[in-house]
Amino acid sequence: MHIPDGFLSPQTFLPAYAVAGVAWLWAARSLRRQLDDQTVPKLAALTALAYGLGLIMLPIPGGTSGHLLGVAMLALLFGVRLAFLSYSLVLLLQSLLFGAGGVTALPINALAMGLAGAAMAVLVFRALRRLGEPLAVVAAAWCSVMLSGLIVGLVLGLQPLIAQRPDGTPLFFPFGFAVVLPAVLVPHALIGVGEAALTLLVWRFARGRGWVAAEGQAERSVRCA
Amino acid sequence: MNPSCCPAPADGLPATTPRAARHAQWWLAGYATAVVAVTSVHDPRVLAGLLGLALAASGSTRWRVLRRALLAVLAFNLSVSLGYLGVSLWQGAFRPAYLVLVNLRVLLLVFLGFWFVSRVNVLQALSFSPTLSFVATLAVGQVTVFLRVLRDFRLAFVSRNPGRPRWSDRARNASAQATHLLDKSVASAAEASLAMRSRGCFDD
């Protein structure tokens, strides 16, 4: 659901950089404590997986793209802060190396997918865990995709309202909420199913490999979120 | 996490020297300034002029970078442009100037991004932050590992299936590939983190 470069007004991306900057500082604050030689290899592997997943994308007529995120798996295994930082890095590399997303859209993409998506995944997982882990993981991943899509749709739909010429010609993204919200959310309801399946697979892989310590981090991150 | 303790970036990426890092960071600052400036321009003639300037300044790589940028924006811009065309014609508010403006702006921004990356090592540009540089080095290293494993599996699968493979074979191969990919990449990152530990990366 990357927003590409050139569709967001400076009135949107400059304040978003300020908000994202504070969030990145918050996320990086506990990084040294969380990153040890047990966590780093797993985080690097799953960050690279999220990077690869995000590159297989289809354009959506509403002006964004559809692809798996991998944010929920990062959040459930490493917590919100590490997931947010890792996914921000994924977005930066994707935009610079492949033109996927963009530097102007980076803070919105990072806040929507990396922060809100990760926080939603952890909160839903924690709320539903007592009903069974597989169900909780699936619901967490699906809700994470939908919340990210909703934020991206709202930011895009805002553009014609805040940036247009006096004659009504849009200067950045042209479609309002009525067009962009269904265009983003309907495909992502299906993409969320794929994301849920992927997250469940990775979760089972992680459980099978005994990444038990990481679970504790997910728990701690809920308290931090 | 002092960057001086971190291992050299993976496969083919040059090690960071202070001078190269400064050079990369100046480019990063210039690129960021240019991006903000371009989004503040709403005249298609000015954007076309800026694109011409960027093409002229980018030297011998200009056509390769332009081709990459065109391919990168093609799908998204086509989808937005056609969507706008349909909706605005239906509403009777079609403004062709918008299509010129937005397509020129997106092309220029992506061209600037690819030009920046073609001139500058991203890891060096990020070296102003030890944390960012540390995680980026690990992630870029893992991407290299992923690409190699994917290629090996694809070639092995092709060599085992001279005819058209069945869907069950494809599914088994994909499943084995996914598991191996994660195991291999965790093992490879574990090696990197052991190397970092031996250099004191995890010590206060």
Side-chain angles (χ1 to χ4, degrees):
Chain A
M1 66 187 72
H2 292 67
I3 302 173
D5 250 341
F7 289 107
L8 292 181
S9 56
Q11 301 96 298
T12 308
F13 73 76
L14 290 178
Y17 259 112
V19 175
V22 173
W24 282 322
L25 284 177
W26 165 78
R29 215 175 49 182
S30 63
L31 193 66
R32 284 191 64 143
R33 191 163 38 83
Q34 288 190 54
L35 282 185
D36 54 31
D37 51 359
Q38 298 295 311
T39 313
V40 163
K42 300 161 194 165
L43 179 67
L46 293 184
T47 301
L49 180 63
Y51 173 86
L53 290 172
L55 288 175
I56 306 166
M57 59 175 81
L58 293 169
I60 291 175
T64 176
S65 59
H67 57 85
L68 297 177
L69 299 180
V71 165
M73 70 181 181
L74 286 170
L76 294 180
L77 291 169
F78 304 108
V80 175
R81 291 184 186 203
L82 280 184
F84 174 49
L85 277 184
S86 297
Y87 206 73
S88 300
L89 181 74
V90 164
L91 290 169
L92 181 66
L93 291 176
Q94 284 175 346
S95 71
L96 289 177
L97 301 180
F98 291 93
V103 171
T104 58
L106 177 68
I108 297 289
N109 284 331
L111 289 169
M113 291 182 265
L115 185 59
M120 176 59 106
V122 172
L123 289 172
V124 170
F125 177 77
R126 193 173 161 79
L128 299 181
R129 194 173 192 174
R130 74 181 78 96
L131 301 176
E133 274 193 358
L135 175 70
V137 169
V138 163
W142 191 84
C143 291
S144 141
V145 168
M146 292 309 283
L147 178 68
S148 304
L150 178 66
I151 294 172
V152 163
L154 288 174
V155 171
L156 283 174
L158 192 65
Q159 299 310 302
L161 300 177
I162 61 174
Q164 61 175 9
R165 293 188 200 280
D167 66 356
T169 307
L171 291 174
F172 292 91
F173 191 73
F175 306 123
F177 298 121
V179 173
V180 77
L181 282 178
V184 172
L185 289 178
V186 172
H188 278 91
L190 289 175
I191 289 168
V193 175
E195 176 88 3
L198 169 89
T199 309
L200 187 59
L201 279 175
V202 174
W203 177 263
R204 285 187 168 155
F205 171 88
R207 291 299 300 269
R209 296 298 185 279
W211 297 5
V212 180
E215 283 179 55
Q217 286 173 358
E219 292 285 337
R220 281 200 300 277
S221 72
V222 176
R223 289 195 290 273
C224 296
Chain B
M1 271 181 284
N2 182 348
S4 64
C5 71
C6 296
D11 294 359
L13 297 170
T16 301
T17 64
R19 190 175 171 185
R22 264 200 310 277
H23 174 76
Q25 284 155 19
W26 275 113
W27 265 87
L28 180 63
Y31 167 62
T33 309
V35 163
V36 176
V38 166
T39 55
S40 307
V41 172
H42 306 310
D43 186 337
R45 288 166 300 186
V46 178
L47 286 174
L50 290 173
L51 182 60
L53 269 179
L55 277 171
S58 55
S60 59
T61 59
R62 66 176 65 94
W63 302 121
R64 190 169 51 83
V65 177
L66 182 63
R67 184 170 169 274
R68 272 191 75 196
L70 276 169
L71 288 175
V73 305
L74 191 66
F76 292 102
N77 278 34
L78 260 182
S79 98
V80 172
S81 299
L82 291 176
Y84 175 73
L85 192 68
V87 171
S88 60
L89 283 176
W90 179 54
Q91 293 174 339
F94 176 59
R95 293 178 176 88
Y98 168 73
L99 286 181
V100 179
L101 172 72
V102 81
N103 283 295
L104 267 176
R105 185 194 289 126
V106 171
L107 181 61
L108 178 54
L109 285 171
V110 176
F111 181 87
L112 288 175
F114 284 164
W115 181 28
F116 167 70
V117 170
S118 74
R119 292 292 303 265
V120 173
N121 182 314
V122 176
L123 293 180
Q124 287 176 342
L126 296 178
S127 64
F128 63 88
S129 159
T131 302
L132 200 53
S133 175
F134 167 74
V135 182
T137 303
L138 278 172
V140 170
Q142 290 316 295
V143 169
T144 316
V145 172
F146 268 43
L147 289 175
R148 200 180 303 137
V149 170
L150 283 173
R151 193 198 55 206
D152 290 350
F153 262 85
R154 185 175 52 80
L155 292 176
F157 188 62
V158 168
S159 73
R160 283 198 308 271
N161 293 278
R164 191 180 170 81
R166 289 174 303 174
W167 283 105
S168 58
D169 294 334
R170 288 175 195 267
R172 240 191 333 271
N173 180 59
S175 160
Q177 187 169 331
T179 307
H180 179 76
L181 207 59
L182 282 168
D183 275 339
K184 165 93 180 164
S185 128
V186 170
S188 156
E191 275 178 32
S193 70
L194 277 176
M196 286 183 208
R197 172 170 283 285
S198 72
R199 290 165 174 81
C201 272
F202 299 108
D203 301 335
D204 283 323

